[in-house]
Amino acid sequence: MTNFDDFDGKIEKFRSREHNKVKAVDNVKKELRRPSLIVIDHRNVFRDCLCICLNKIFTGDKILSFLSVDDLFKSDFNLIEGDLIILYCDIRETLQKKAARDELLSRVGHGINVVLICEGDDIRDVMGCLENGARGYIPTSVSLQVATEAIRLVRAGGIFIPANSLLQSYSSASDLDPPRQFTPRQTDVLGQLQKGKSNKIIAFELEMKESTVKVHVRNIMRRLGVTNRTEAVVEMQQNHKTDYKNYK
């Protein structure tokens, strides 16, 4: 038995050394490669065209493309600091795709930026995406030159917001109906909060990750100027006179 134990121990040590070697090689590869641009768009023609344009503009940078967020996570491509993800979002996207987008924003590490290319420039959609972690919101109505300069700005550490959205922001939030002060997903979460449901239950019923629910709750509390969930519900009931229980 002792000989077998010694043999098993040697095997475990060997596996551990090999595992450490693989990790060391991966770390070296990460240090050697330059930051990349990653395009995620389910529309083949638009994705390929954007990649061709980016290749000509950002010469020397590696451009990768994926059909979906899931394809990125399932690939063997390891994100590093400095990588920039360009994600196309359809305003008619399904709850599943919205959940995938929120999951991407919650999982990207420090120094990895996400820029969204979306239809429209409604200030509520823009702010909702930025609050969830995006560093830029590029409407499909802008020119390629504006889009590329927006990407350069984000890579340099800035945040891009379309000009039309900034003009909309001059309208005071207090002048809006309470539901319009929040993004659609924040409204859904508010409705569940008023019912006293936990983050876990909210995530299940709204088909999103629990970590995403926490992000929405945190942004709701910041927007209302409160410090916890109970204060958020009381604030909405007393000062905004809106019952979100009727929302999803």
Side-chain angles (χ1 to χ4, degrees):
M1 292 294 292
T2 302
N3 291 335
F4 281 114
D5 291 340
D6 291 342
F7 182 70
D8 289 340
K10 290 179 180 179
I11 290 178
E12 287 301 320
K13 288 182 180 179
F14 175 78
R15 288 175 175 172
S16 178
R17 285 197 300 268
E18 291 302 307
H19 177 69
N20 291 334
K21 288 180 182 178
V22 171
K23 287 182 64 178
V25 171
D26 288 341
N27 290 334
V28 170
K29 288 180 179 179
K30 288 182 180 180
E31 292 176 359
L32 291 178
R33 84 166 178 85
R34 296 179 56 182
S36 303
L37 292 174
I38 300 101
V39 179
I40 304 177
D41 191 340
H42 67 278
R43 306 169 304 168
N44 294 329
V45 172
F46 290 94
R47 185 184 67 253
D48 292 345
C49 287
L50 180 56
C51 288
I52 291 172
C53 293
L54 293 177
N55 265 314
K56 292 183 177 180
I57 297 170
F58 296 95
T59 57
D61 287 351
K62 186 174 183 179
I63 312 294
L64 298 97
S65 65
F66 296 91
L67 284 171
S68 67
V69 173
D70 286 339
D71 285 348
L72 170 62
F73 287 147
K74 291 176 182 177
S75 71
D76 58 359
F77 180 76
N78 295 313
L79 295 169
I80 64 169
E81 183 174 350
D83 283 343
L84 188 143
I85 300 172
I86 304 167
L87 173 64
Y88 171 75
C89 297
D90 190 339
I91 57 176
R92 298 160 297 181
E93 63 188 355
T94 63
L95 288 176
Q96 183 179 5
K97 287 186 177 180
K98 286 182 179 179
R101 180 192 65 194
D102 293 340
E103 176 71 0
L104 172 65
L105 293 174
S106 66
R107 284 179 58 176
V108 292
H110 176 69
I112 301 172
N113 296 315
V114 178
V115 172
L116 304 178
I117 296 182
C118 308
E119 302 286 346
D121 53 10
D122 188 285
I123 187 62
R124 291 167 294 162
D125 296 330
V126 174
M127 296 310 298
C129 292
L130 296 180
E131 287 177 352
N132 286 341
R135 300 288 294 179
Y137 186 105
I138 304 176
T140 54
S141 58
V142 303
S143 65
L144 177 62
Q145 181 180 0
V146 172
T148 53
E149 292 306 318
I151 293 172
R152 293 185 196 276
L153 173 64
V154 173
R155 294 190 86 177
I159 297 176
F160 179 78
I161 301 176
N164 288 343
S165 300
L166 288 175
L167 293 175
Q168 293 179 36
S169 67
Y170 282 112
S171 299
S172 173
S174 59
D175 294 334
L176 299 174
D177 295 332
R180 288 175 57 83
Q181 296 183 29
F182 304 98
T183 66
R185 296 304 273 169
Q186 288 173 347
T187 300
D188 294 340
V189 172
L190 265 174
Q192 301 298 322
L193 287 179
Q194 281 196 327
K195 296 175 183 177
K197 296 183 178 179
S198 66
N199 289 343
K200 190 172 185 178
I201 298 300
I202 295 175
F204 175 77
E205 296 198 354
L206 297 183
E207 299 180 355
M208 62 174 69
K209 298 288 184 180
E210 188 174 353
S211 60
T212 304
V213 174
K214 291 179 181 178
V215 171
H216 285 312
V217 172
R218 184 168 63 248
N219 290 332
I220 288 169
M221 291 191 298
R222 184 172 70 240
R223 185 164 293 187
L224 293 175
V226 299
T227 58
N228 58 58
R229 302 157 62 96
T230 303
E231 289 180 1
V233 173
V234 172
E235 171 70 15
M236 292 305 303
Q237 291 176 340
Q238 291 183 349
N239 299 327
H240 296 275
K241 309 298 182 184
T242 300
D243 184 4
Y244 282 83
K245 293 180 182 179
N246 294 325
Y247 290 86
K248 289 182 179 180

